[in-house]
Amino acid sequence: MSITIANFFSNFAEIYGPIFSERIPPLLIQHIQLVFLATGIAILIGVPLGIFLTRPALRKHSQKVLNFVNIGQAVPGLALIAIFLPILGIGYIPAVVALVIYGLLPIVRNTIAGLEAVDDKVKEAARGMGMYNNQVLWQIEFPLAFPVIMAGIKTSAVITVGTATLAALIGGGGLGRLIFTGISLFRPEFILAGSGTAAVLAIIMEKGLSFFERVVVKERMPLDF
Amino acid sequence: MIRLEGIGKEFGDFTAVKELSLEIPEGKTCVMVGPSGCGKTTTMRMVNRLIEPTRGTVYIDEQDYKKKKVEILRRDIGYVIQEVGLFPHRTIAENISTTPKLAGWDDKKIKKRVDELLEIVELNPEENRNKFPRQLSGGQRQRVGLARAMAADPPVMLMDEPFAAVDPITRENLQNMFLRLQRKMKKTIIFVTHDINEAIKMGDQIAILKEGELVQADTPEELLANPKNQFVTDFIGVDRAIKILDLFSTDEVMWTEAPVISKKNMQEEAQKLIEKGEKGIPVIVEDEQGNKFWFDLDELESGQSLEEIIRPLEITLEPTNSIKLAMARMLEHNNDAVLIIGDDDEEPGILTLKGIRNYVYRICASDPGEKVEI
Amino acid sequence: MEFLREILWQVAPIRYFFENISRIITYTQNHLELTMVGVILAIILWVSVGIIIYRYPKLSHGVLGIASIVMCIPSIALYGILLTLPGFGLGRTSALTALVLYAMLPIVRNVFVALRSVDPSILDAAKGMGMSKQEVLWEVQIPNALPTIFAGVRVALVMMVGIATLATYIGEQNLGRLIQHGITRTHPTMIIVGAVVVSIIAIGIDLLMGLLGKHLISKGLQLEESK
């Protein structure tokens, strides 16, 4: 028994050792870069866009935008990535663009939903106390909507980790490369190593952001699970 | 008849109800009242076993209720709660037919019963049958809640603050409607409230609870006249005297044997009454046109002439009116007596301010625990 | 009319679509078959699990925790992992298993949350009128929780349509195949047709579920609360 277990581990180390020491690190770094870059840009575009769309002048259109965003979220990730291939061609930039667009949706949606959910009476009270519109926004609306916006960012980041595995298909690199190589060559160890790492990365991302969320929001408002 | 026998409930270390025994006669309404946390709702919920008693049992029509399957027991007990608890996914008609369906009535009978019940709770069946609860106002919902509880005509009903969630005007309407219904239905009811005024209005019997114990169970009249201790007195409130006014009817306080004298000879006839040894009674004076006046025999001692003393007796009320109404009318007209005229075979009476004052004072001046005959 | 056809024929994706219509129909059938079987299995399994953790709330934390971890795993990674497991491999078993697993979070969580948030006074009234535990569950709780449960199923189904696309890499002959082959052959028209068709189907199913919900859910629950 002990021999088989020892064998197993030595086999395991023999097979997976080189994969994890040589193949994974550059791909993992690439993957993380993709995710951070895409999510960062998505936040920089999505949050201001959401704020913009909830201002009085545009507020009546925000429901339409939400409907559009919801429809956009129904588009499969592979379809979205693929559709950019004929337009932008192959490479890192097209991959980032596709990821940004896909990652935008939950951020815009939650920013709008979070700001819309702020009680009108609270805003009215703030205005009644003599706040300017931008003071109402930054001192009242934004802090109250923050938990919801943060939840949107979390969803976006986790989705992007997943969608980024597909970036490999259009030459964007990342852990997907190892997985797809494994599938086409049928090398289970490649598939498992790539898939496992991607899964762990996504889970770490989710847990990390949940932790950040709890610290920042100080458990003031219960969110979803 | 419902008989609670030594019923009690503990939640862990906390004793919600100690050992409570109480009997509610057939067809009567027992109102359980007390401050929050006194165990009134717990006691009520033990009667349909939504809370299982830790000790003791309940007899319904002399049968130990634990012998019945709990679902079957509950189907024979109408249940009305403050939040109403209508099923939002079902129409008004479907809501009302819940218990009849559970009891397996046929559709035709159910349909007829639903319309009948809607009429009883004063809602138009045509208009409301197919509506959903969310389309109704709070008062209408509680009417449907009542209809639903009465659907299978249960002999017993439990009502947990049924009228507490609606505005005062709607509450009064619902209370009056329910009193009218109960006069006909004669169900045996346990009614929980924290509002002593509601208790006095709705109850044939009031049970005051404190910290899981029964402090006093009596008719409202007994309770107001003879509060058992300081707690009950306090709970009834500083305006106990006013509540008494509301609760007692004029025929309980009026004089039925006031002498009637003619205005022409009033001086002599009054003198005769004094010679007969009468004292401190109201005397009615009637002139030839039938106009009535009155005075109190004691007032003659002031030396004023009767001409100056007598005042018109111009307000007429019925024997079933409350003393409070009589007071109100007197204050409005700056009078100090009213004439009480009932049916032909009833003797007319006179209710004076002095009479009310003495009556209420006699009740209120006694110490808690001291017996006052009423 | 003829002229219009001529013009449309010049648009490569449209021409490709009609030239390959029978293949696309087969792919669509396979795609829908996989998703439908998946969603039915998912409803049976996860609604039951949702009810169980509602009845035994101690289990809820663990079960929902697992569900949210599964949800995090990139879909190609989950396919990849299943592919290497004995008994799964290339083909429908792996694809179905992955789809059902992804449906866990939206369905279980929504069932659990929905059952919990049914107004307690409604349940009190139901019990007080003599309904048994089963009657309360099926006649009162589930119908009242249906809007939220249905929303969960809808999210799951739309997600499944998307994730099924990737199953082409583990041997499913579905709409993902057009995208897969389009990429490997650098055939943009194929990619566009594949991506557009699958997106239209996903959006269509989403809208269809919206309509279905309106019929399935009691009108009484879709009304605004009156004052």
Side-chain angles (χ1 to χ4, degrees):
Chain A
M1 190 68 186
S2 61
I3 295 165
T4 46
I5 290 177
N7 273 348
F8 175 77
F9 276 109
S10 69
N11 279 341
F12 190 85
E14 217 170 280
I15 298 169
Y16 286 95
I19 300 178
F20 277 99
S21 59
E22 287 159 30
R23 288 183 186 261
I24 293 277
L27 293 176
L28 180 59
I29 289 167
Q30 217 172 20
H31 203 98
I32 292 172
Q33 275 176 346
L34 261 178
V35 171
F36 274 69
L37 189 61
T39 307
I41 297 173
I43 293 170
L44 288 180
I45 300 173
V47 175
L49 191 62
I51 292 174
F52 188 61
L53 287 169
T54 48
R55 293 310 91 196
L58 289 169
R59 200 176 163 182
K60 57 179 182 289
H61 301 296
S62 68
Q63 191 52 47
K64 281 180 225 154
V65 176
L66 274 184
N67 289 341
F68 181 76
V69 169
N70 284 337
I71 286 176
Q73 283 192 313
V75 174
L78 181 63
L80 193 104
I81 291 266
I83 228 143
F84 279 94
L85 183 64
I87 303 167
L88 298 170
I90 272 184
Y92 191 72
I93 300 295
V96 173
V97 172
L99 291 181
V100 167
I101 289 178
Y102 209 53
L104 262 178
L105 302 177
I107 298 178
V108 173
R109 187 192 58 189
N110 277 34
T111 306
I112 294 177
L115 289 170
E116 286 288 327
V118 176
D119 193 343
D120 279 339
K121 286 192 202 84
V122 175
K123 287 189 261 181
E124 211 168 286
R127 239 173 263 128
M129 282 184 281
M131 284 191 185
Y132 291 114
N133 279 341
N134 64 337
Q135 286 172 320
V136 178
L137 171 63
W138 294 113
Q139 293 179 29
I140 309 296
E141 287 180 75
F142 195 77
L144 285 173
F146 187 73
V148 184
I149 298 175
M150 192 58 219
I153 291 173
K154 188 174 86 179
T155 308
S156 170
V158 173
I159 289 178
T160 305
V161 173
T163 320
T165 53
L166 304 180
L169 292 173
I170 58 166
L175 290 164
R177 248 171 71 188
L178 196 63
I179 302 172
F180 284 110
T181 311
I183 290 172
S184 53
L185 302 179
F186 204 73
R187 296 279 296 270
E189 65 277 18
F190 283 7
I191 301 176
L192 267 185
S195 300
T197 312
V200 170
L201 180 64
I203 293 163
I204 290 174
M205 191 67 128
E206 209 264 349
K207 297 283 168 212
L209 285 172
S210 297
F211 178 74
F212 177 71
E213 194 176 306
R214 242 170 300 159
V215 172
V216 175
V217 178
K218 292 194 193 97
E219 296 184 352
R220 256 184 306 181
M221 286 180 205
L223 292 164
D224 55 0
F225 289 94
Chain B
M1 191 194 69
I2 308 173
R3 199 168 79 239
L4 313 186
E5 222 172 72
I7 204 163
K9 180 71 192 178
E10 268 143 40
F11 296 104
D13 289 340
F14 173 70
T15 305
V17 178
K18 275 171 196 158
E19 249 194 59
L20 198 144
S21 295
L22 183 67
E23 197 174 302
I24 299 130
E26 187 88 45
K28 297 291 180 194
T29 304
C30 171
V31 181
M32 292 198 194
V33 65
S36 59
C38 69
K40 54 190 191 291
T41 298
T42 308
T43 305
M44 192 203 79
R45 287 167 66 87
M46 284 194 282
V47 176
N48 63 357
R49 291 178 69 186
L50 281 171
I51 294 176
E52 204 58 48
T54 313
R55 61 185 158 273
T57 188
V58 176
Y59 288 89
I60 297 178
D61 289 330
E62 295 303 330
Q63 198 199 5
D64 186 342
Y65 81 154
K66 284 186 178 164
K67 288 193 178 133
K68 265 189 183 175
K69 196 163 173 268
V70 65
E71 280 84 16
I72 304 296
L73 170 85
R74 286 175 189 158
R75 283 174 206 175
D76 287 335
I77 301 179
Y79 185 50
V80 186
I81 54 177
Q82 181 182 337
E83 306 85 356
V84 194
L86 293 183
F87 303 145
H89 64 295
R90 289 187 174 174
T91 62
I92 301 310
E94 288 166 346
N95 263 288
I96 296 175
S97 37
T98 309
T99 31
K101 271 212 181 105
L102 289 173
W105 292 20
D106 66 68
D107 286 352
K108 220 170 128 196
K109 193 175 162 198
I110 292 178
K111 213 167 158 247
K112 214 179 123 221
R113 178 67 178 154
V114 167
D115 285 0
E116 186 184 297
L117 281 160
L118 283 170
E119 298 273 6
I120 288 178
V121 296
E122 294 159 14
L123 288 172
N124 184 337
E126 288 300 322
E127 272 173 39
N128 295 294
R129 203 188 285 137
N130 296 320
K131 278 191 182 167
F132 284 98
R134 284 188 190 162
Q135 291 167 300
L136 301 185
S137 69
Q140 289 172 322
R141 281 182 212 178
Q142 195 50 277
R143 283 169 194 267
V144 176
L146 272 174
R148 186 173 69 170
M150 299 185 300
D153 205 13
V156 173
M157 286 183 64
L158 305 180
M159 305 175 79
D160 189 1
E161 308 227 11
F163 310 133
V166 291
D167 64 87
I169 295 170
T170 311
R171 183 180 316 143
E172 177 128 12
N173 287 337
L174 287 169
Q175 287 170 341
N176 293 340
M177 180 191 79
F178 191 71
L179 283 174
R180 280 197 300 278
L181 288 179
Q182 170 62 0
R183 221 166 288 145
K184 279 183 267 169
M185 302 185 306
K186 300 229 179 298
K187 295 196 183 293
T188 312
I189 298 170
I190 296 182
F191 188 112
V192 164
T193 179
H194 63 269
D195 176 0
I196 183 72
N197 291 312
E198 188 172 53
I200 292 168
K201 182 169 177 180
M202 308 302 289
D204 299 311
Q205 183 184 13
I206 295 178
I208 294 197
L209 277 76
K210 181 196 174 194
E211 289 164 10
E213 275 179 295
L214 183 65
V215 182
Q216 185 173 6
D218 263 318
T219 62
E221 291 83 356
E222 258 316 311
L223 192 78
L224 287 177
N226 292 306
K228 200 170 171 188
N229 56 28
Q230 195 58 43
F231 174 77
V232 178
T233 312
D234 290 346
F235 194 76
I236 292 168
V238 286
D239 62 342
R240 178 173 149 217
I242 305 287
K243 289 188 175 111
I244 291 171
L245 294 180
D246 208 5
L247 192 62
F248 290 86
S249 53
T250 51
D251 60 347
E252 289 170 273
V253 191
M254 69 184 184
W255 283 89
T256 45
E257 283 152 4
V260 182
I261 59 179
S262 74
K263 193 165 182 238
K264 228 178 352 181
N265 305 322
M266 58 181 173
Q267 199 72 44
E268 297 97 87
E269 292 196 38
Q271 212 53 49
K272 271 189 216 155
L273 286 170
I274 292 174
E275 281 160 20
K276 261 205 271 172
E278 298 284 6
K279 258 176 85 96
I281 57 162
V283 180
I284 297 170
V285 180
E286 208 169 32
D287 70 8
E288 276 137 12
Q289 286 82 42
N291 296 322
K292 288 190 171 66
F293 303 84
W294 87 283
F295 69 98
D296 190 291
L297 215 49
D298 281 358
E299 287 162 347
L300 276 176
E301 286 170 17
S302 69
Q304 284 174 294
S305 77
L306 256 183
E307 225 22 90
E308 282 174 282
I309 294 170
I310 58 165
R311 52 263 187 205
L313 195 54
E314 51 191 5
I315 308 164
T316 311
L317 289 175
E318 290 172 22
T320 49
N321 289 135
S322 69
I323 323 179
K324 191 170 166 185
L325 182 70
M327 282 285 287
R329 303 307 292 274
M330 285 188 233
L331 293 174
E332 281 161 23
H333 291 84
N334 195 20
N335 281 8
D336 58 356
V338 291
L339 199 61
I340 309 295
I341 300 177
D343 294 339
D344 289 342
D345 55 337
E346 284 176 76
E347 203 149 353
I350 177 168
L351 177 65
T352 67
L353 201 54
K354 185 178 153 197
I356 295 173
R357 217 170 57 204
N358 289 340
Y359 187 81
V360 174
Y361 178 74
R362 189 170 62 88
I363 291 175
C364 292
S366 63
D367 293 322
E370 186 185 324
K371 184 77 185 156
V372 179
E373 286 303 326
I374 52 171
Chain C
M1 208 57 216
E2 205 45 40
F3 175 68
L4 197 69
R5 232 191 89 157
E6 270 312 301
I7 292 186
L8 285 176
W9 207 245
Q10 295 307 309
V11 183
I14 294 176
R15 199 170 65 211
Y16 184 88
F17 179 81
F18 285 106
E19 279 172 358
N20 296 279
I21 188 82
S22 69
R23 195 151 53 100
I24 292 172
I25 288 174
T26 314
Y27 286 163
T28 308
Q29 277 172 347
N30 283 340
H31 204 112
L32 291 180
E33 207 178 282
L34 177 66
T35 355
M36 288 307 144
V37 175
V39 82
I40 289 165
L41 289 177
I43 291 171
I44 295 169
L45 182 60
W46 301 134
V47 171
S48 319
V49 171
I51 292 172
I52 291 169
I53 63 170
Y54 168 74
R55 282 276 162 85
Y56 305 95
K58 274 184 191 161
L59 298 174
S60 68
H61 202 77
V63 171
L64 291 172
I66 293 170
S68 69
I69 285 177
V70 170
M71 192 69 166
C72 282
I73 303 173
S75 30
I76 193 65
L78 186 58
Y79 282 139
I81 293 166
L82 289 172
L83 197 57
T84 60
L85 294 182
F88 286 89
L90 278 175
R92 189 142 282 194
T93 317
S94 297
L96 263 183
T97 309
L99 290 192
V100 171
L101 282 174
Y102 280 117
M104 185 177 182
L105 184 67
I107 299 180
V108 175
R109 181 184 57 191
N110 280 33
V111 170
F112 178 70
V113 170
L115 288 177
R116 284 202 137 189
S117 49
V118 174
D119 183 349
S121 67
I122 296 172
L123 303 183
D124 189 43
K127 263 193 276 174
M129 280 188 289
M131 284 191 177
S132 68
K133 222 174 169 183
Q134 290 305 310
E135 282 165 337
V136 174
L137 178 68
W138 291 104
E139 287 176 36
V140 181
Q141 285 182 290
I142 301 251
N144 275 289
L146 201 59
T148 310
I149 296 176
F150 193 81
V153 172
R154 181 177 173 178
V155 167
L157 179 55
V158 172
M159 201 174 63
M160 286 160 106
V161 173
I163 293 170
T165 318
L166 275 171
T168 181
Y169 287 97
I170 57 166
E172 276 290 324
Q173 305 260 348
N174 63 25
L175 290 164
R177 187 129 298 201
L178 288 174
I179 300 174
Q180 183 193 10
H181 286 175
I183 291 171
T184 46
R185 296 177 202 163
T186 338
H187 190 324
T189 310
M190 237 173 131
I191 297 175
I192 289 172
V193 171
V196 169
V197 171
V198 82
S199 302
I200 288 174
I201 287 175
I203 293 165
I205 283 182
D206 189 33
L207 298 178
L208 222 65
M209 287 295 278
L211 290 178
L212 186 65
K214 284 215 173 88
H215 283 276
L216 228 58
I217 294 161
S218 158
K219 197 175 145 260
L221 295 171
Q222 298 180 40
L223 292 162
E224 290 283 323
E225 192 80 25
S226 79
K227 281 283 159 190

